[in-house]
Amino acid sequence: MAYQVLARKWRPQNFHTMVGQEHVLRALVHALDEQRLHHAYLFAGTRGVGKTTIARILARCLNCEEGVSSNPCGVCSSCVEITEGRFVDLIEVDAASRTKVEDTRELLDNVQYAPTRGRFKVYLIDEVHMLSTSSFNALLKTLEEPPPHVKFLLATTDPQKLPITVLSRCLQFNLKNMPAEQVAGHLRNVLTSEAIPFAEASLWQLGRAAKGSMRDALSLTDQAIAFCGGDLTESSVNQMLGSIDQGKVVAIVSQLQQGNASELLKLIAELSEQGQDFTVALEDLLSLLHQVAICQVLPDAPVSVQFDKSKVLDLAQNISPADVQLFYQMGIMARKDLEAAPDLQAGFEMALLRMLAFRPQQHAGQINTMVAQSKPHGLESPVVMQPEPALAPESDA
Ligand SMILES: [Zn+2]
C-alpha cells in the first residue's frame, strides 16, 4: 500500500476521537444529539487547528444514513463518500480562488434543489473572508432564509474581515491554537501506534515548532521520520528543526549564575560547532529565564514543556530574582544588537559577557544565603510599610 502522510491518515473521523477544541466539540455534540441544528456555522481560527476537519465531520454527522447524531457510523456509503471527498451533497468551495460574485451566484443557484443523496446539502466554504462584497451580498440573502435541506459551514482564518451581517447569521465557533503539550501528547499516540521509536524530548520539539497547528505537527513528524531514518532522537530532530538542545540552554543559564565566563565561551563554541543559529539560542535563553522567573513566584506553575521541570526549579532556587530580571532585560536588548554585531556568534558572546559584567558584585553563594535568609526573617517580623510622613509645612510663625 502506498505510504499515506500522517496528517491524512490520522485525520479524525468523528468528534469523539478528535484532539483539542473541546469547547467547540462539546457544543456541536450536544446540538447534534439533541437535534438543535442551526443552518449556518462559522469556524474561525488560524491554519491547521481543525476548522475544515470539524466541518467535514459535521457533514458526516448530518448525512450519515444511520441518522443525525454526533456518532456517524463511518461505514455507510454517505460516511465513506464524505471521507473520500466524493459525496455529491457536500459542496466544498475555496473562497480564495472563487471570489467573484458570478461564482457565488452559480453556487447559490443550486441551493433551492433538494439534495441528491443525502439528508442535507452541505456547503463548506473555506477562507470565506476572501469573498468580494457583492459575493457576500449574494450569499446574505440565502443565509438569511436557506431552504430547510441546506447547511452552511463557513471557515475563516480572519473573521474580522467578515461583514457583521454575515456574522450575525452564523453560529460562530472560535478554534484555539493547540498547546504544545496537547500536540506532543497526540504525536506520542500516533508514533506509538505506528511503531516508530522516539525520544520524549523530540516530541516537545516538534510540538513547539508546529506553533499551535496539529496539521503542521504531523507534517513535521513525517519529515522527521524521513530525516532520522525512522528513529526520532532528540539530536536529529533538533538538527532537522534547527532547534537547540535544551540541556545546553539550561547549562548556559547555570554558568551565568555561577559567573563562569570561560565555561560560557566553551558552551558557545560547542553550539557554533553544531552550526546552531544564535538568534534561536537567544530566544530559547529568554524563554528559559521567563520560566525561571515564573517558577520563583509560583513554584507549582506548569513549566513550558521545552525545559525539564526539575532543572527549571533548580535554577529558580539558585539564581536571585534580580539576576533573572537583569539577564532577561539584557537578553531582550541583545536581540536588537545581534543584527548589528560583526557576526551572530560574536553578538551572542558579548550579550552573555555583558550579563556577567553588569551583574552586581556578589558571589552566587552570597546571593543564595541572602535569599534564603530573607524569607524566614521576613516572616518572623513583617516589615510594615509606613507611609512617609508628610513634611510639615514650614510655619511662618
Ligand atoms: Zn454513516
Side-chain angles (χ1 to χ4, degrees):
M1 205 181 96
Y3 181 74
Q4 199 179 14
V5 296
L6 292 178
R8 284 197 58 194
K9 186 169 176 187
W10 286 84
R11 180 175 288 156
Q13 299 302 333
N14 65 60
F15 291 138
H16 304 276
T17 56
M18 190 163 171
V19 176
Q21 316 301 0
E22 289 81 2
H23 62 297
V24 174
L25 303 185
R26 198 178 315 132
L28 290 175
V29 166
H30 284 160
L32 284 161
D33 291 342
E34 289 159 28
Q35 313 284 326
R36 282 184 293 101
L37 297 169
H38 203 268
H39 61 268
Y41 293 84
L42 173 67
F43 302 102
T46 52
R47 47 185 296 279
V49 293
K51 298 184 296 296
T52 47
T53 301
I54 290 181
R56 288 202 191 107
I57 296 176
L58 187 52
R60 281 166 57 132
C61 294
L62 292 169
N63 274 317
C64 174
E65 285 163 19
E66 302 277 303
V68 176
S69 79
S70 66
N71 249 325
C73 72
V75 291
C76 72
S77 55
S78 297
C79 281
V80 171
E81 284 171 25
I82 291 173
T83 309
E84 292 173 355
R86 54 186 180 88
F87 189 64
V88 65
D89 290 316
L90 172 60
I91 301 109
E92 290 198 35
V93 186
D94 177 16
S97 61
R98 298 187 69 185
T99 55
K100 289 204 222 91
V101 67
E102 295 79 34
D103 296 328
T104 314
R105 288 228 176 89
E106 190 192 315
L107 187 77
L108 298 175
D109 274 347
N110 291 317
V111 162
Q112 48 179 315
Y113 303 114
T116 317
R117 289 259 290 97
R119 196 173 292 113
F120 293 103
K121 212 167 184 167
V122 181
Y123 286 86
L124 168 51
I125 309 180
D126 201 9
E127 296 300 359
V128 66
H129 65 272
M130 301 286 282
L131 290 180
S132 64
T133 312
S134 36
S135 295
F136 275 128
N137 287 335
L139 179 65
L140 207 56
K141 287 190 200 105
T142 317
L143 265 187
E144 214 156 27
E145 218 176 328
H149 61 262
V150 168
K151 299 284 176 209
F152 281 99
L153 311 180
L154 312 178
T156 179
T157 47
D158 203 351
Q160 313 271 345
K161 287 200 184 129
L162 291 178
I164 187 83
T165 43
V166 169
L167 288 176
S168 66
R169 282 164 179 80
C170 298
L171 210 54
Q172 184 175 342
F173 291 102
N174 294 317
L175 277 65
K176 298 176 190 163
N177 278 1
M178 309 252 184
E181 289 88 340
Q182 202 165 43
V183 175
H186 184 56
L187 294 183
R188 192 182 298 115
N189 289 341
V190 168
L191 290 170
T192 309
S193 330
E194 296 280 327
I196 293 168
F198 58 89
E200 185 69 18
S202 68
L203 300 184
W204 301 124
Q205 295 291 8
L206 289 166
R208 212 162 57 90
K211 294 198 165 65
S213 157
M214 192 62 95
R215 183 173 61 214
D216 285 2
L218 289 166
S219 304
L220 282 171
T221 306
D222 261 328
Q223 210 178 315
I225 294 168
F227 185 89
C228 306
D231 182 3
L232 274 59
T233 62
E234 185 182 5
S235 63
S236 47
V237 170
N238 278 336
Q239 208 183 338
M240 184 194 89
L241 297 171
S243 50
I244 289 166
D245 174 3
Q246 300 307 315
K248 280 250 168 27
V249 184
V250 171
I252 286 176
V253 174
S254 148
Q255 293 305 332
L256 277 173
Q257 180 258 324
Q258 290 167 38
N260 193 336
S262 66
E263 275 303 314
L264 278 176
L265 292 177
K266 213 189 275 176
L267 284 166
I268 296 173
E270 283 171 22
L271 288 177
S272 171
E273 269 167 38
Q274 294 166 0
Q276 298 291 6
D277 181 346
F278 285 98
T279 323
V280 180
L282 190 55
E283 272 170 27
D284 286 357
L285 182 69
L286 288 169
S287 351
L288 176 57
L289 288 169
H290 166 237
Q291 281 305 324
V292 170
I294 298 283
C295 261
Q296 284 176 329
V297 283
L298 288 174
D300 294 329
V303 165
S304 153
V305 291
Q306 164 183 16
F307 302 105
D308 186 333
K309 169 122 193 177
S310 65
K311 295 201 172 123
V312 176
L313 273 174
D314 195 43
L315 289 172
Q317 282 161 1
N318 287 304
I319 315 185
S320 78
D323 277 350
V324 175
Q325 289 299 329
L326 180 77
F327 296 157
Y328 185 83
Q329 184 60 29
M330 289 190 163
I332 291 281
M333 301 306 283
R335 285 183 77 173
K336 278 184 280 178
D337 298 349
L338 220 49
E339 297 303 318
D343 61 77
L344 290 179
Q345 181 174 351
F348 189 70
E349 277 173 1
M350 286 306 280
L352 296 194
L353 294 177
R354 197 177 313 132
M355 291 174 189
L356 289 187
F358 281 90
R359 198 177 167 196
Q361 290 297 313
Q362 276 164 327
H363 291 296
Q366 276 179 311
I367 294 170
N368 287 343
T369 29
M370 284 174 64
V371 172
Q373 281 168 0
S374 67
K375 250 189 186 169
H377 178 76
L379 286 176
E380 279 161 20
S381 52
V383 181
V384 180
M385 293 295 283
Q386 295 285 359
E388 288 263 324
L391 283 176
E394 302 253 330
S395 74
D396 289 326

